[in-house]
Amino acid sequence: MSTMLSPGRYKAENNDNFLSQYSIVMEVKETEKSYIFQLVELNSRYSADHIKHLFAKSKRVIIRKNCGGHAMRVWGG
């Protein structure tokens, strides 16, 4: 049995140094078959390229669980 993500708004940030600073805010929903992410805010100068690439075409992304190729983990809120 897998653990479902808690729906809501999640924030990830890094303030280690000027070049690697970022702040990402996403609305997260999980269904039985997919993860749904809505980009709310992305502030990054040089880092977080993987997130920029994920949301390049749309601010809403659906990742199907059965397709693989993703690494999901439960974030603390």
Side-chain angles (χ1 to χ4, degrees):
M1 183 174 163
S2 65
T3 303
M4 300 280 282
L5 289 171
S6 296
R9 190 169 279 200
Y10 289 84
K11 182 175 185 175
E13 58 186 355
N14 178 10
N15 293 311
D16 289 343
N17 66 53
F18 179 72
L19 296 177
S20 63
Q21 283 182 323
Y22 64 82
S23 174
I24 304 162
V25 179
M26 287 188 277
E27 290 285 337
V28 176
K29 294 180 185 173
E30 181 179 6
T31 68
E32 187 176 316
K33 297 181 180 183
S34 63
Y35 301 104
I36 303 168
F37 301 100
Q38 178 77 32
L39 184 62
V40 175
E41 180 182 325
L42 173 60
N43 295 312
S44 175
R45 184 175 296 267
Y46 298 113
S47 57
D49 285 338
H50 57 293
I51 297 295
K52 291 176 187 175
H53 182 69
L54 179 65
F55 290 102
K57 294 182 181 179
S58 175
K59 291 193 181 242
R60 184 172 186 263
V61 174
I62 299 173
I63 299 175
R64 297 186 191 280
K65 290 180 180 179
N66 65 353
C67 291
H70 58 77
M72 293 304 305
R73 58 188 161 164
V74 177
W75 293 349

